[in-house]
Amino acid sequence: MQDLVRMWSNTRMVVLSAVSAAVYAAVLIPFKAIPVIPGLTEIRPAAALPPLCSILFGPAGAWGSAFGNLIGDFFGMLGPGSIFGFLGNFLYGYIPYRAWRALSDQEPQPLSVTGWAKLLLAFLLGAGACALVIAWGVDLLGLAPFKALVNIILINNALMALLISPFLVAILYPMIKNFGLLATDLLEPAPRSRLSRVGLVLLIIGILGGLLAGNLLAFGALNPAGLGLPALSLPWLVSPFLLILLLGVVLA
Amino acid sequence: MSLFLYSERGSLFHRLHPSAKIMGLLLAFVAAMAFSHPLFLLPLALVFVPPGLAAHVGPGLKRVGWLMVIIGIMSFILWGIFYPGSAGPSYPLGPLRLRQPALLYGAGMALRLNLMLYAGLTFLASTRVEEFTAGLQRLGVPYSISFALSLSFRLVPIFTDTAVTILDAQRSRGLDTEAGGPQQRLRTYLPLLVPVFASALRRTNLLAIALESKGFGSGIPRVSFRQYRFAGADAVFLLLMSALAAACVTVRLLGYGGVA
């Protein structure tokens, strides 16, 4: 995770984070007028961009996605929910990069079915983490119920990440490589840790577990008292999965 | 920030130090978050509205006011349906049973969300991008991060213009962007992301060279042409906002302001 700090000493990475943010915001803002849950989420074709920026620019894509979402909120929706929007979009723009590096040594230009499956898994993990963190945060603040938000964000992000992002990567990756602007060109990548696969497994457990447990608790299919869990509100019951997710990000 | 909601006026809020405004906004959020009962949030609205009017939120409200109304209605409906528990009197409405605590909580959340958005609008109406980033720096955010955020704000209108130019060029070649329903239009617009993105990236190297030629990343402490001075008015403003937030939290800790 040191790359998240190291990138700020590289001028091109700083500019790339700003460019990613501006493109993300420029596509987000026109669709603010078509809300799904007003004030919290809207139709988001722009959700195809964080996975793309993540794969191309790594940490700069992560910061760019977070900044882009914040700029979108400056269009009139600035509130405490923006903090979790920032964190969720940061993970959406960072996890695909980390997950891909943990999954494969190849360039993200898959020629095989397995390669495509790995790329799509990396994108899906980012989409799931974003949905989980935002829904968890806004429920914690009492702004919107977890169950009303989590699946909408997940479906919105996952659809764009699966249907559009792979094609954007296929088209733009060779071009960016020619420009010499890939994260791997600008920042010396840290050698893959022996624990990166463990991190990936923790990521999957944290995201899948959090989404599943959150949904089951929210829709009443799981009774915390019946499981011997303390009588806490949903966000607190889901919190352990978020900790696993964060540990996964650190190790992957 | 003209693309956004900045209002070019000279109000007291406009003159406050940017870091005081950022802290004030966070304290306003704390005050609003303390209560979930609408009867306790209503007096808070009376505290929030006059400073907003003084900061000229009017044009911003005209642009996003309709969205705030929808937000209020949606929040009321969502919490009315999804509020947990089964206590309290309930009223049948078709297949649903609406419970009094749920309705009260829904009304409280609608009011709370709108109060926080209004506080956000007050901030946006009185704060330029460069003031916002200067405020972040004063609060300890490293220069390169606040610079990247500031640069992103500036690039948004440039990229929006690029997108419009590309769209016009495609239209002149016969692309029909008005045909079909939302799905068809989405399919028409999405491929345009590629040239917009490529055009944005072409600027990256030039921008980086321009920045480095001006000493960006040299590590030498920077000076700024525009200096923001933390004045007495900023201290008074922060003191008042801290007192408001502390009072709200104390009232809540004493057991008032929640929905049972």
Side-chain angles (χ1 to χ4, degrees), chain B residues 46-96:
Chain B
L46 295 178
V47 176
F48 279 25
V49 169
L53 293 177
H56 300 282
V57 291
L61 266 181
K62 265 187 204 159
R63 277 170 64 179
V64 297
W66 62 275
L67 203 52
M68 288 172 74
V69 173
I70 300 175
I71 287 169
I73 295 169
M74 285 295 290
S75 185
F76 180 69
I77 293 171
L78 283 174
W79 281 112
I81 297 170
F82 293 130
Y83 185 70
S86 55
S90 62
Y91 319 100
L93 180 74
L96 297 172

Side-chain angles (χ1 to χ4, degrees), chain A residues 8 11-12 16 18 22-23 27 38-39 57 71 74-77 79-80 141-145 147 164 168 175-176, chain B residues 5 29 33 63 67 70-71 74 79 82 109 112 116 124 144-145 148 151-152 155 159 190 194 198 201 205 212:
Chain A
W8 292 109
T11 310
R12 272 159 191 77
L16 280 175
V23 174
V27 184
F57 311 131
I71 293 172
F74 265 65
F75 191 64
M77 295 297 112
L141 295 176
L143 301 178
K147 65 178 163 187
I164 298 164
L168 292 177
M175 189 191 299
I176 310 299
Chain B
L5 301 160
F29 289 161
M33 296 288 300
R63 277 170 64 179
L67 203 52
I70 300 175
I71 287 169
M74 285 295 290
W79 281 112
F82 293 130
M109 288 307 104
R112 180 201 272 182
M116 293 190 293
L124 296 177
S144 43
I145 296 182
L151 182 62
S152 329
L155 287 175
F159 291 163
L190 280 171
V194 176
L201 286 166
N205 269 325
E212 281 169 351

Side-chain angles (χ1 to χ4, degrees), chain A residues 169-232:
Chain A
V169 170
I171 295 167
L172 288 166
Y173 187 88
M175 189 191 299
I176 310 299
K177 195 178 173 188
N178 276 344
F179 289 168
L181 291 174
L182 293 173
T184 43
D185 296 330
L186 298 171
L187 278 187
E188 183 65 34
R192 199 163 74 178
S193 138
R194 279 177 301 164
L195 290 173
S196 65
R197 287 290 168 98
V198 178
L200 184 69
V201 172
L202 288 178
L203 260 181
I204 295 171
I205 293 171
I207 293 165
L208 270 184
L211 291 171
L212 203 65
N215 268 305
L216 290 174
L217 286 165
F219 286 96
L222 265 185
N223 180 11
L227 295 170
L229 294 170
L232 295 169

Side-chain angles (χ1 to χ4, degrees), chain B residues 99-162:
Chain B
R99 290 179 303 110
Q100 195 191 50
L103 295 178
L104 212 54
Y105 191 79
M109 288 307 104
L111 199 54
R112 180 201 272 182
L113 249 176
N114 272 323
L115 271 178
M116 293 190 293
L117 291 176
Y118 184 84
L121 270 182
T122 307
F123 177 78
L124 296 177
S126 59
T127 315
R128 294 172 195 273
V129 173
E130 55 269 30
E131 290 171 348
F132 176 60
T133 50
L136 287 179
Q137 270 175 261
R138 175 72 185 253
L139 291 171
V141 175
Y143 175 75
S144 43
I145 296 182
S146 55
F147 173 81
L149 188 56
S150 162
L151 182 62
S152 329
F153 272 105
R154 280 166 220 292
L155 287 175
V156 173
I158 296 173
F159 291 163
T160 308
D161 286 349
T162 308

